Amino acid sequence: MKDLGNYSLWLHNTFGIEAHCRRFLEFASVEEAQQVAKILRETTLPYIIIGGGSNLLLTKDFDGIVVHSAIKGISVVGSQMFCGSGVAWDDVVSCAVYNHLYGAENLSLIPGDVGASAVQNIGAYGTEVKDLILEVEAIEIATGKLCVISNEECAYAYRQSRFKQEWRNQYLITHVTYQMDTVFEPRLDYGNIRSELARRNIIQPTAPELRQIIIDIRNAKLPDPNKIGNAGSFFMNPIVSREKYEDLAMYHEDIPHYTIDAEHEKIPAGWLIEQCGWKGKSMGRAGVYDKQALVLVNLGGATGQEILSLCKAIQNDVWEVFGINIQPEVNII
């Protein structure tokens, strides 16, 4: 177990922001997670639990404890995958495809760790990880007890779970079990997947081909955080009433949308931001990526406060133009 003081979080956030915490605890096993839980029970300091830092905006030093999982390992038994919470999510997708297990291809190259996938309910290209999660193994901080939590108990919704709401900072996730499919049924009707298939003269892709297409699409529109600091998609796509969508469509005939149910439509936040003129623009050292308006970037030396100011300016403009309140997907500390 790592127990470090005055620890730099620069390597633990993909925005590349320099910030420190008073104490840093990292566990690499269930037993170490129980030790960390004991420390947290006995401290008066505030604490936060982070994953790979790909969904995190640090706006200041954190005068408390930062907890991180380093539990590794992927075990494949039949169609189930038992994965350590510190495993990189894309390694799970790669392992699944290699073992002829399916359902996660559209989630290829999403940054972050396994533990965060269960907290955030990551999703992309018409797929959400909630549809793969069977159960979550976690240490209850208040008791140190090892718990196995079912998918249903997690109450998953769009980019939401009980781990983000009433269970926030109450569990240390140690492992996640994913139930994969043994029959490949590709989901191709989202984003520009089909157009990319056509460009490559592929009629019916294999799982490795679909995974590579998703990787290529993401690489083409999202910056590499090792080169440009970013947290991927910064805002959630807003879900509005059908009445609201129809009102907007009267003035914006080309507005993209995805039907959620009979009463709700999802509108891409990136489109809303781009219509407000923010794509490729900047405020000081913080900017909007020129290839994808949904992504905020650190242009070099930006502070978390600068990126937060940019976020608020974008929110204000989208509200003024469309009457829609877009919310950050990232956790702001």
Side-chain angles (χ1 to χ4, degrees):
M1 185 180 78
K2 289 184 179 179
D3 188 346
L4 304 170
N6 189 29
Y7 185 78
S8 171
L9 297 170
W10 184 71
L11 293 176
H12 291 276
N13 74 100
T14 56
F15 262 119
I17 291 172
E18 181 60 81
H20 288 74
C21 61
R22 181 186 290 195
R23 189 177 182 184
F24 180 80
L25 299 174
E26 183 177 80
F27 56 89
S29 67
V30 171
E31 293 73 23
E32 288 186 1
Q34 290 175 318
Q35 294 176 37
V36 169
K38 184 175 185 297
I39 292 172
L40 297 179
R41 286 197 301 273
E42 296 174 350
T43 187
T44 58
L45 291 174
Y47 60 86
I48 56 174
I49 303 163
I50 66 170
S54 61
N55 200 46
L56 181 67
L57 175 61
L58 299 168
T59 61
K60 58 186 175 181
D61 289 338
F62 183 65
D63 189 25
I65 302 172
V66 170
V67 181
H68 179 254
S69 170
I71 297 180
K72 303 298 184 182
I74 300 176
S75 176
V76 179
V77 179
S79 59
Q80 294 181 5
M81 302 179 69
F82 182 70
C83 306
S85 54
V87 172
W89 164 253
D90 194 57
D91 288 348
V92 176
V93 184
S94 176
C95 180
V97 171
Y98 178 82
N99 284 279
H100 308 290
L101 297 175
Y102 311 113
E105 304 80 29
N106 290 27
L107 304 178
S108 292
L109 211 64
I110 291 180
D113 294 344
V114 162
S117 79
V119 173
Q120 183 73 7
N121 182 24
I122 58 174
Y125 299 103
T127 301
E128 290 181 300
V129 79
K130 70 177 179 62
D131 297 322
L132 302 174
I133 292 175
L134 180 64
E135 57 191 24
V136 179
E137 180 189 277
I139 299 299
E140 185 179 37
I141 293 173
T143 63
K145 177 184 176 182
L146 180 64
C147 305
V148 177
I149 304 167
S150 70
N151 179 300
E152 292 75 17
E153 291 174 293
C154 294
Y156 285 117
Y158 176 59
R159 301 297 184 272
Q160 292 293 337
S161 73
R162 295 180 77 181
F163 294 112
K164 287 186 68 174
Q165 302 298 329
E166 67 265 34
W167 289 351
R168 187 178 183 89
N169 287 345
Q170 292 186 22
Y171 290 93
L172 300 176
I173 295 176
T174 55
H175 295 88
V176 179
T177 300
Y178 302 98
Q179 177 64 62
M180 312 302 288
D181 295 325
T182 55
V183 177
F184 179 51
E185 296 182 357
R187 304 187 69 172
L188 308 176
D189 296 318
Y190 202 97
N192 56 337
I193 296 176
R194 285 201 180 275
S195 62
E196 188 61 26
L197 285 169
R199 191 183 71 82
R200 302 184 189 200
N201 295 316
I202 298 174
I203 298 175
Q204 191 67 25
T206 64
E209 286 175 331
L210 178 56
R211 170 167 160 75
Q212 189 58 54
I213 284 172
I214 297 297
I215 289 172
D216 292 345
I217 290 173
R218 290 184 66 88
N219 279 332
K221 72 176 185 178
L222 299 175
D224 182 349
N226 292 318
K227 298 177 181 179
I228 304 175
N230 73 94
S233 299
F234 193 91
F235 295 97
M236 292 186 286
N237 293 321
I239 296 174
V240 302
S241 67
R242 179 173 292 274
E243 181 182 6
K244 174 66 175 179
Y245 161 73
E246 290 174 349
D247 287 344
L248 290 172
M250 291 178 61
Y251 301 96
H252 306 276
E253 294 181 359
D254 60 340
I255 185 170
H257 64 104
Y258 303 95
T259 300
I260 300 299
D261 53 40
E263 298 180 354
H264 298 91
E265 300 284 337
K266 183 189 295 182
I267 300 175
W271 184 88
L272 297 171
I273 295 167
E274 185 170 352
Q275 301 310 301
C276 292
W278 277 106
K279 188 176 182 180
K281 298 298 179 65
S282 63
M283 284 178 55
R285 297 176 293 184
V288 180
Y289 193 48
D290 58 3
K291 295 180 181 178
Q292 171 53 267
L294 196 57
V295 179
L296 305 191
V297 294
N298 180 350
L299 297 173
T303 65
Q305 285 292 343
E306 288 176 297
I307 293 170
L308 182 59
S309 294
L310 175 61
C311 162
K312 291 179 178 179
I314 291 170
Q315 286 177 305
N316 288 338
D317 281 1
V318 171
W319 175 257
E320 289 293 329
V321 174
F322 295 102
I324 294 177
N325 185 16
I326 57 173
Q327 292 296 320
E329 182 175 327
V330 304
N331 296 310
I332 300 173
I333 304 299

